[in-house]
Structure formats: structure tokens, C-alpha cells
Amino acid sequence: MRSSGDGTAAGGPYPLHSGAAGHSSQRPTVVVGGDGATSDEVGYRGPTACAAAGITYRQLDYWARTGLVEPSVRPASGSGTQRLYGFRDVVLLKIVKRFLDTGVSLQNIRTTVQHLRDRGSGDLARMTLMCDGATVYECSSPDEVVDLLQGGQGVFGIAVGVVWRDVEAALSQLHGERVDTGETLIGHNPGDELARRRNRAG
């Protein structure tokens, strides 16, 4: 396996970011996943994003202001503007919360968030993030996870696909908002609602 100096690699498991020297480059690669059931046409206000991700509004606001996880649908632009988060944003918020709870450094979390933003939904669904406290690794297969654990490096892991499904289930019970019309979508999967509307319109 090849590993570059910026924490990326080709051909299998690799570290997203290393906080310590001397780690082998032959480590797993991890990603978050989903089946694309949640539409880009639906956004979620701050309180909804907090509820689905299990964070406080204070955390949400701080992470947005510091650029850790910003709302991709509608950023705050002045007094009275409501931030609107996309589904993937909420998944990232939940992953950040889990990493912080286990003591991963903010520098490693920032690198991981950027890496996940660059990946497709299919990649995310198959991805597992492993951390040994100093380095976050991306694993895309069970064998890579096992290799990492056998090397004594893995301390804990986050299956991105599981987080994705957890967020999807949580948001299906909360209010979403149509990006184009501002219409509130209540108490059901927004992706299903959009599909029904398209069918009626067609």
C-alpha cells in the first residue's frame, strides 16, 4: 500500500491523519455510507439537526462558526437567518460528537470531516473509521478492520453506514424543510414525501 504525506493512501487501509510518527502506512481505510434515500431538496434547522445528532445547540453553533461542520444547504447570513443543514451534514455532526466523546483531537476530527465530505454516499455506506487515539484510519472492508485490530492499533471504531441509518431513522420522526418552497415536512421520511410529490406532479 502507498501512503502520501498528507494522510491519504491508495490500495487499502490507510490513516486519514497521524498525530504521531512511526505508524505503519498499512492500515485500514474507513467511510460513511447510505443509499441516497434522503433528498438534497430537504434541509433541517438547527434544533432538528441537534436532536438527530445528539448534540447541544451550543456545540452546533460553535462548530459552524469555527468551520468544523457548516450547514451546506443554507449558511447563516446575518440576523434572523435560519441555518439549514443537509442530511450528510447531520451524519457528520453525529460522527464528530462520537469522536469528541472518545477524546480524539480536534485536528484529527477536522481532517476526518474533510475526508468524509470528499467521499460519495456509496463509499460512506461501506466505511468504518478506526482510531487508536493518535490516528484515524479509514477501513472499507472487514478484513482491513481485522488487520488493524490484530496490529494492536485500533481502540474503537465507527461504522459510518450505521450512523447514516441512525440519522435517517431520527430525521424521519422530525421536521424537515423543502429547500425550494420552505414547506415543512412533518413526521415522515422526507425522501419518501418528495417521491410522492414528484409522482403526483408527473
Side-chain angles (χ1 to χ4, degrees):
M1 165 188 324
R2 293 177 291 108
S3 178
S4 66
D6 64 358
T8 60
Y14 62 86
L16 300 178
H17 174 79
S18 177
H23 284 269
S24 168
S25 64
Q26 296 191 10
R27 292 287 181 260
T29 301
V30 181
V31 183
V32 180
D35 56 9
T38 302
S39 172
D40 290 337
E41 297 177 44
V42 177
Y44 305 94
R45 294 193 176 195
T48 300
C50 289
I55 62 174
T56 66
Y57 194 85
R58 186 173 182 177
Q59 288 174 308
L60 182 82
D61 183 60
Y62 179 73
W63 296 348
R65 286 188 290 107
T66 58
L68 179 59
V69 180
E70 299 176 281
S72 63
V73 177
R74 185 198 304 145
S77 56
S79 177
T81 304
Q82 289 281 346
R83 294 187 186 112
L84 213 55
Y85 288 82
F87 175 79
R88 283 174 62 115
D89 299 334
V90 182
V91 171
L92 290 176
L93 290 169
K94 193 172 183 73
I95 289 172
V96 168
K97 170 72 161 52
R98 290 193 177 180
F99 274 135
L100 285 174
D101 287 348
T102 53
V104 177
S105 74
L106 194 57
Q107 181 183 9
N108 279 356
I109 292 173
R110 285 187 182 279
T111 302
T112 301
V113 167
Q114 185 55 55
H115 178 77
L116 295 177
R117 283 197 181 282
D118 294 340
R119 304 302 290 265
S121 295
D123 289 336
L124 295 180
R126 295 184 295 271
M127 189 183 291
T128 299
L129 297 171
M130 302 290 289
C131 184
D132 61 6
T135 305
V136 177
Y137 302 93
E138 174 192 350
C139 305
S140 55
S141 73
D143 287 344
E144 290 179 353
V145 173
V146 170
D147 288 346
L148 185 64
L149 293 173
Q150 287 179 339
Q153 297 298 324
V155 174
F156 72 92
I158 298 174
V160 179
V162 172
V163 174
W164 185 287
R165 289 188 293 275
D166 287 348
V167 169
E168 202 167 42
L171 289 176
S172 72
Q173 305 300 315
L174 299 168
H175 295 2
E177 182 176 314
R178 281 288 299 264
V179 175
D180 53 354
T181 65
E183 177 185 1
T184 299
L185 304 173
I186 304 173
H188 51 264
N189 189 308
D192 294 342
E193 172 64 15
L194 289 173
R196 285 194 293 270
R197 289 175 182 275
R198 289 194 190 100
N199 290 337
R200 286 201 298 268

